[in-house]
PDB file of all heavy atoms in Angstrom:
ATOM      1  N   SER A1530     -11.400   2.611 -18.222  1.00  0.00           N
ATOM      2  CA  SER A1530     -12.157   2.371 -19.450  1.00  0.00           C
ATOM      3  C   SER A1530     -13.167   3.490 -19.663  1.00  0.00           C
ATOM      4  O   SER A1530     -13.531   4.196 -18.734  1.00  0.00           O
ATOM      5  CB  SER A1530     -12.898   1.029 -19.343  1.00  0.00           C
ATOM      6  OG  SER A1530     -13.834   1.076 -18.290  1.00  0.00           O
ATOM      7  N   PRO A1531     -13.660   3.639 -20.893  1.00  0.00           N
ATOM      8  CA  PRO A1531     -14.616   4.716 -21.171  1.00  0.00           C
ATOM      9  C   PRO A1531     -16.043   4.338 -20.805  1.00  0.00           C
ATOM     10  O   PRO A1531     -16.985   4.769 -21.442  1.00  0.00           O
ATOM     11  CB  PRO A1531     -14.465   4.890 -22.691  1.00  0.00           C
ATOM     12  CG  PRO A1531     -14.087   3.539 -23.181  1.00  0.00           C
ATOM     13  CD  PRO A1531     -13.222   2.945 -22.110  1.00  0.00           C
ATOM     14  N   SER A1532     -16.192   3.491 -19.775  1.00  0.00           N
ATOM     15  CA  SER A1532     -17.521   3.080 -19.332  1.00  0.00           C
ATOM     16  C   SER A1532     -18.201   4.255 -18.634  1.00  0.00           C
ATOM     17  O   SER A1532     -17.584   5.294 -18.404  1.00  0.00           O
ATOM     18  CB  SER A1532     -17.408   1.897 -18.389  1.00  0.00           C
ATOM     19  OG  SER A1532     -16.542   2.203 -17.332  1.00  0.00           O
ATOM     20  N   PRO A1533     -19.497   4.102 -18.246  1.00  0.00           N
ATOM     21  CA  PRO A1533     -20.214   5.213 -17.612  1.00  0.00           C
ATOM     22  C   PRO A1533     -19.443   5.807 -16.444  1.00  0.00           C
ATOM     23  O   PRO A1533     -18.741   5.097 -15.725  1.00  0.00           O
ATOM     24  CB  PRO A1533     -21.518   4.550 -17.149  1.00  0.00           C
ATOM     25  CG  PRO A1533     -21.714   3.421 -18.107  1.00  0.00           C
ATOM     26  CD  PRO A1533     -20.341   2.923 -18.422  1.00  0.00           C
ATOM     27  N   SER A1534     -19.554   7.103 -16.267  1.00  0.00           N
ATOM     28  CA  SER A1534     -18.806   7.785 -15.216  1.00  0.00           C
ATOM     29  C   SER A1534     -19.249   7.310 -13.842  1.00  0.00           C
ATOM     30  O   SER A1534     -20.332   6.769 -13.656  1.00  0.00           O
ATOM     31  CB  SER A1534     -18.988   9.293 -15.342  1.00  0.00           C
ATOM     32  OG  SER A1534     -20.356   9.632 -15.284  1.00  0.00           O
ATOM     33  N   SER A1535     -18.392   7.543 -12.866  1.00  0.00           N
ATOM     34  CA  SER A1535     -18.631   7.076 -11.507  1.00  0.00           C
ATOM     35  C   SER A1535     -19.913   7.672 -10.927  1.00  0.00           C
ATOM     36  O   SER A1535     -20.269   8.816 -11.183  1.00  0.00           O
ATOM     37  CB  SER A1535     -17.448   7.454 -10.626  1.00  0.00           C
ATOM     38  OG  SER A1535     -17.720   7.156  -9.286  1.00  0.00           O
ATOM     39  N   THR A1536     -20.587   6.862 -10.121  1.00  0.00           N
ATOM     40  CA  THR A1536     -21.795   7.328  -9.433  1.00  0.00           C
ATOM     41  C   THR A1536     -21.502   7.661  -7.965  1.00  0.00           C
ATOM     42  O   THR A1536     -22.414   7.954  -7.208  1.00  0.00           O
ATOM     43  CB  THR A1536     -22.897   6.258  -9.496  1.00  0.00           C
ATOM     44  OG1 THR A1536     -22.411   5.041  -8.904  1.00  0.00           O
ATOM     45  CG2 THR A1536     -23.312   5.993 -10.928  1.00  0.00           C
ATOM     46  N   VAL A1537     -20.223   7.594  -7.576  1.00  0.00           N
ATOM     47  CA  VAL A1537     -19.835   7.930  -6.200  1.00  0.00           C
ATOM     48  C   VAL A1537     -20.124   9.408  -5.944  1.00  0.00           C
ATOM     49  O   VAL A1537     -19.741  10.271  -6.727  1.00  0.00           O
ATOM     50  CB  VAL A1537     -18.342   7.624  -5.973  1.00  0.00           C
ATOM     51  CG1 VAL A1537     -17.880   8.176  -4.634  1.00  0.00           C
ATOM     52  CG2 VAL A1537     -18.090   6.131  -6.037  1.00  0.00           C
ATOM     53  N   LYS A1538     -20.811   9.695  -4.840  1.00  0.00           N
ATOM     54  CA  LYS A1538     -21.187  11.070  -4.523  1.00  0.00           C
ATOM     55  C   LYS A1538     -20.747  11.442  -3.109  1.00  0.00           C
ATOM     56  O   LYS A1538     -20.815  10.624  -2.185  1.00  0.00           O
ATOM     57  CB  LYS A1538     -22.707  11.268  -4.635  1.00  0.00           C
ATOM     58  CG  LYS A1538     -23.265  11.017  -6.030  1.00  0.00           C
ATOM     59  CD  LYS A1538     -22.744  12.031  -7.037  1.00  0.00           C
ATOM     60  CE  LYS A1538     -23.336  11.795  -8.421  1.00  0.00           C
ATOM     61  NZ  LYS A1538     -22.769  12.728  -9.425  1.00  0.00           N
ATOM     62  N   GLY A1539     -20.281  12.672  -2.956  1.00  0.00           N
ATOM     63  CA  GLY A1539     -19.916  13.191  -1.657  1.00  0.00           C
ATOM     64  C   GLY A1539     -20.344  14.641  -1.555  1.00  0.00           C
ATOM     65  O   GLY A1539     -20.590  15.303  -2.571  1.00  0.00           O
ATOM     66  N   TYR A1540     -20.452  15.130  -0.329  1.00  0.00           N
ATOM     67  CA  TYR A1540     -20.969  16.482  -0.112  1.00  0.00           C
ATOM     68  C   TYR A1540     -20.122  17.183   0.956  1.00  0.00           C
ATOM     69  O   TYR A1540     -19.647  16.559   1.909  1.00  0.00           O
ATOM     70  CB  TYR A1540     -22.430  16.431   0.338  1.00  0.00           C
ATOM     71  CG  TYR A1540     -23.277  15.565  -0.567  1.00  0.00           C
ATOM     72  CD1 TYR A1540     -23.481  14.218  -0.274  1.00  0.00           C
ATOM     73  CD2 TYR A1540     -23.843  16.085  -1.736  1.00  0.00           C
ATOM     74  CE1 TYR A1540     -24.234  13.406  -1.120  1.00  0.00           C
ATOM     75  CE2 TYR A1540     -24.602  15.283  -2.589  1.00  0.00           C
ATOM     76  CZ  TYR A1540     -24.788  13.942  -2.276  1.00  0.00           C
ATOM     77  OH  TYR A1540     -25.519  13.146  -3.113  1.00  0.00           O
ATOM     78  N   VAL A1541     -19.937  18.485   0.777  1.00  0.00           N
ATOM     79  CA  VAL A1541     -19.205  19.278   1.751  1.00  0.00           C
ATOM     80  C   VAL A1541     -20.061  20.457   2.172  1.00  0.00           C
ATOM     81  O   VAL A1541     -20.683  21.118   1.339  1.00  0.00           O
ATOM     82  CB  VAL A1541     -17.839  19.754   1.184  1.00  0.00           C
ATOM     83  CG1 VAL A1541     -18.013  20.547  -0.105  1.00  0.00           C
ATOM     84  CG2 VAL A1541     -17.080  20.567   2.211  1.00  0.00           C
TER      85      VAL A1541
END
Side-chain angles (χ1 to χ4, degrees):
S1530 63
S1532 55
S1534 57
S1535 173
T1536 58
V1537 171
K1538 299 295 181 184
Y1540 310 93
V1541 57

